[in-house]
Amino acid sequence: MNNNFKTLIITVITAVAISGQAYTQDIKQPAAVQQQAASSVYTPVNALDMVAAPSKFLNKNVTVKGKFDKFSTLGLDYAPAMRSSEEYITFLIQRDDVKDHNIPLSEMKVFLKRAEAEKHIDLNAGDEIEFSGKVFSNALGDVWMDAEKFTVLTQKKKEEVKK
């Protein structure tokens, strides 16, 4: 083989290798993966701000910190904002603008898959939680939200709860 032919082969192999790398870097992610990545961005918000202006947060991904109040069936199976009581449970957080009583923020209905809720059956009123999800409705002028992420930040010891 002459040197020109060897040079041509090396050049072609190098060009193919480089274009192969460029091609794999330019491959687009499927739309579902792109949507999932976009939906995992949550904006931290105050729960009282949300209930004061529910339409402002409609179809938004948010993160809320608060004090757990209780699991409930509030809002389940309500047709305009349907979440099945077979698949979901509601949880309420406490109003953070009332310090001398435990009052639930009932204007915010947050739905959690029952399978996830069952992992947290030992929660007590006042335990600090953080949850992230999408506000999917403002029916009745309230916030209706699916919790996609649920984290217990602090939990009272059983001795503290009994007192």
Side-chain angles (χ1 to χ4, degrees):
M1 276 190 193
N2 67 27
N3 283 341
N4 287 341
F5 187 69
K6 286 181 184 178
T7 304
L8 177 64
I9 291 175
I10 291 172
T11 303
V12 169
I13 291 172
T14 304
V16 169
I18 291 171
S19 67
Q21 285 179 334
Y23 174 76
T24 57
Q25 290 173 355
D26 287 341
I27 294 176
K28 300 279 186 197
Q29 293 180 338
V33 173
Q34 288 176 349
Q35 184 178 8
Q36 182 180 6
S39 69
S40 64
V41 176
Y42 301 98
T43 303
V45 297
N46 178 285
L48 291 175
D49 291 343
M50 291 177 67
V51 299
S55 60
K56 178 180 175 184
F57 297 93
L58 186 60
N59 297 316
K60 302 282 194 261
N61 293 325
V62 298
T63 295
V64 179
K65 286 184 182 180
K67 290 186 178 182
F68 179 81
D69 189 66
K70 67 178 125 266
F71 286 110
S72 172
T73 58
L74 185 66
L76 290 169
D77 300 318
Y78 176 63
M82 183 62 179
R83 293 297 182 263
S84 167
S85 59
E86 292 178 9
E87 296 177 41
Y88 292 89
I89 190 77
T90 310
F91 68 88
L92 300 172
I93 61 171
Q94 296 175 354
R95 296 187 67 92
D96 62 1
D97 59 344
V98 178
K99 302 296 181 194
D100 57 346
H101 293 86
N102 293 336
I103 302 195
L105 186 62
S106 59
E107 302 93 330
M108 176 183 273
K109 286 110 176 118
V110 187
F111 299 95
L112 188 63
K113 294 253 184 195
R114 284 191 176 267
E116 180 65 22
E118 289 172 1
K119 298 175 187 175
H120 305 287
I121 59 172
D122 58 342
L123 282 175
N124 293 295
D127 291 344
E128 293 178 353
I129 60 172
E130 179 178 76
F131 52 96
S132 301
K134 185 172 187 171
V135 177
F136 67 88
S137 179
N138 61 357
L140 302 174
D142 289 349
V143 173
W144 299 72
M145 178 179 172
D146 282 325
E148 298 162 355
K149 296 179 181 179
F150 185 91
T151 306
V152 177
L153 300 175
T154 62
Q155 196 168 5
K156 295 178 185 175
K157 294 180 182 173
K158 288 186 180 184
E159 300 85 46
E160 293 177 41
V161 174
K162 291 180 183 178
K163 291 182 181 179

